[in-house]
Structure formats: structure tokens, C-alpha cells
Amino acid sequence: MKMKVKRWVCLCLLLAGCGQTPPAEEAAQNIAARYGYHDFDKVEMVQYTFNFLVDNDTVQRIWRWNPGLNWFEYTNPGDSVKGGGTHLEVFRDSIRSADTLSLQADMRFINDNYWLFFPFHLMWDDNISLELDENVEMPVGQEIAHRLTVSYEDSGGYTPGDVYELYFNDDHLIQQWSFLRGGYAEYAFPATWESNQTAGPLLFSLVRQNPEENFRLWFSNVAVKMKDSGDWIFIE
């Protein structure tokens, strides 16, 4: 996961007085803002359930996340037929390489978090480069949107070199994305972003799907707890 403007510093040197934000960086800022990025520091905790339909079975992972503590609680109910299940509480700064269970949970946490919070990762991640193309055809269907290509560096993280193509409208809402594992176009997997709903000051897109691939991923039980309140605010 990386970025094609190196956080826009290099391009900024080419602009008079460094007073103008490059278009790709501006698009990233506007997308993040559209989903509530500027209010995220008011959030104490987030909870959500990641659901993924595969081979007619639903994979479900339940998360509670405290960004300030870099802590998460992970529950995997397990398959109703196979039984089993997992429950962990993890401080990400304290994970040891020998702690296989926590490492596996952390990999799943990163995966699921990116599916839900990717607009904010445009601001959080500093190992990305950005490219902007206007008025291009989206991969699912033939509608037109703007495309922001987010490329991650070839080192660091669990899946270095990944590329995300975000297709967004004039209101800076993401309509679709295409995930290129390792940056390889032949591995591109597009999906729609649907069902926009709010929880507190944050806007969430709750459904990802690609009808042609019989793919569906969705989030449920999404809620935020604000720092100035002890109550959970669920999606409206």
C-alpha cells in the first residue's frame, strides 16, 4: 500500500512557493473529509462486524478498536457447524513475533480495517503515492467517475506493493474500488461501495460487492463511542 506523490512533497517543490496542493493530494484530502476524517479525533472507540460471503458460507469477525491506545478486541464466533471460536484483546504496539495468534489477529484487523476505513488511510498512511485521472469508466458497469490510484511501497506492512484504484464522484464519495494485489493488473478485483450510513460524525460505506464475481462483503453492528460520552452511537 503506497502513494504516487510521496505525500506530495516532491511535487510541491515544483509549485511556486509551495502554496498549491497537488490535485491528487487534494482529492485524497477531500475524500477523507467527506467520510468524517476531521472529526475522527473525537472518537474514543469503534466497533464493527466484518461479514464476508464465500462459497455460500459467511465468515464473520467482530471488532472493537481504540485508536488512541492502538488496541483491539477480536472475536471470531467460528463456523456454526464446525464449532470453535476465538477471542483476543491485543495492544498492537506490544505484539511479539513469536505470538502467532496475536499476529494472525493483527493481520485480519488490518485487512478488515482497510475495507471499512480506507478513506482515512489516505491521510494516515505515509508510505503511499497518488495519481489522479478524471472522467474515466468504472470497472463495474460503464458509468464515469474520477479515479484516484493509491500505490503502496514495495516494503513494509503485511502486503507491500498493493495498489487501490478509488472511483469517486464530484461529492467525493467512493462509488467503486479496484484492488490490485502486489500492484499486478491481472489480479485486479473491483467492487462497488454501497449503503452509506452515519454513526456519530463518521460516514461509513457498509457494502462491497461484485455481482459478476458472486462477491459480497458487508459491515454490521457499526457504532462509535465519542470521547465526551459513554454511549455507543450506532449507524442510522
Side-chain angles (χ1 to χ4, degrees):
M1 310 171 176
K2 298 126 200 176
M3 193 163 144
K4 255 190 179 127
V5 176
K6 283 299 180 192
R7 245 26 241 179
W8 68 271
V9 173
C10 294
L11 287 185
C12 189
L13 296 175
L14 301 177
L15 301 174
C18 202
Q20 182 179 350
T21 303
E25 179 75 14
E26 183 177 11
Q29 293 172 356
N30 289 335
I31 291 170
R34 186 67 178 83
Y35 287 86
Y37 171 75
H38 295 298
D39 289 313
F40 189 80
D41 61 354
K42 302 174 185 176
V43 173
E44 179 182 0
M45 290 187 66
V46 183
Q47 71 171 39
Y48 53 95
T49 300
F50 172 94
N51 307 278
F52 176 40
L53 183 63
V54 56
D55 296 330
N56 295 320
D57 289 328
T58 299
V59 175
Q60 187 177 75
R61 297 193 283 261
I62 303 169
W63 302 99
R64 281 196 173 183
W65 173 38
N66 187 317
L69 297 179
N70 206 13
W71 167 94
F72 65 78
E73 179 184 46
Y74 165 58
T75 303
N76 183 344
D79 185 274
S80 58
V81 176
K82 298 177 182 177
T86 302
H87 179 267
L88 288 174
E89 294 186 29
V90 177
F91 284 92
R92 300 190 65 230
D93 294 333
S94 303
I95 297 177
R96 300 176 181 176
S97 58
D99 188 352
T100 304
L101 199 59
S102 292
L103 282 173
Q104 290 176 345
D106 192 58
M107 292 178 66
R108 292 174 176 174
F109 169 76
I110 292 296
N111 177 81
D112 299 0
N113 188 278
Y114 268 74
W115 278 97
L116 184 60
F117 284 99
F118 195 84
F120 295 168
H121 282 280
L122 295 172
M123 298 292 99
W124 291 338
D125 297 350
D126 59 6
N127 59 337
I128 58 178
S129 60
L130 302 174
E131 288 186 90
L132 178 65
D133 298 288
E134 297 184 340
N135 300 318
V136 299
E137 189 175 293
M138 291 193 289
V140 180
Q142 297 180 331
E143 296 184 19
I144 300 300
H146 311 302
R147 180 176 62 206
L148 182 68
T149 302
V150 185
S151 304
Y152 283 80
E153 294 177 355
D154 293 328
S155 61
Y158 290 122
T159 56
D162 287 347
V163 173
Y164 297 83
E165 296 176 338
L166 306 183
Y167 295 84
F168 64 98
N169 62 17
D170 290 338
D171 291 328
H172 298 97
L173 286 172
I174 299 173
Q175 307 296 294
Q176 300 179 17
W177 77 354
S178 188
F179 171 56
L180 287 68
R181 180 171 295 279
Y184 295 103
E186 57 267 33
Y187 297 144
F189 189 86
T192 59
W193 278 50
E194 304 178 25
S195 186
N196 294 314
Q197 299 187 47
T198 58
L202 307 186
L203 177 65
F204 295 96
S205 172
L206 301 180
V207 177
R208 315 278 179 269
Q209 58 184 348
N210 184 332
E212 296 179 359
E213 299 290 342
N214 195 28
F215 168 85
R216 189 169 188 268
L217 181 155
W218 69 100
F219 294 92
S220 56
N221 301 317
V222 178
V224 300
K225 181 186 288 187
M226 308 304 292
K227 291 179 179 178
D228 60 358
S229 171
D231 298 326
W232 286 97
I233 305 173
F234 285 83
I235 56 174
E236 299 177 356

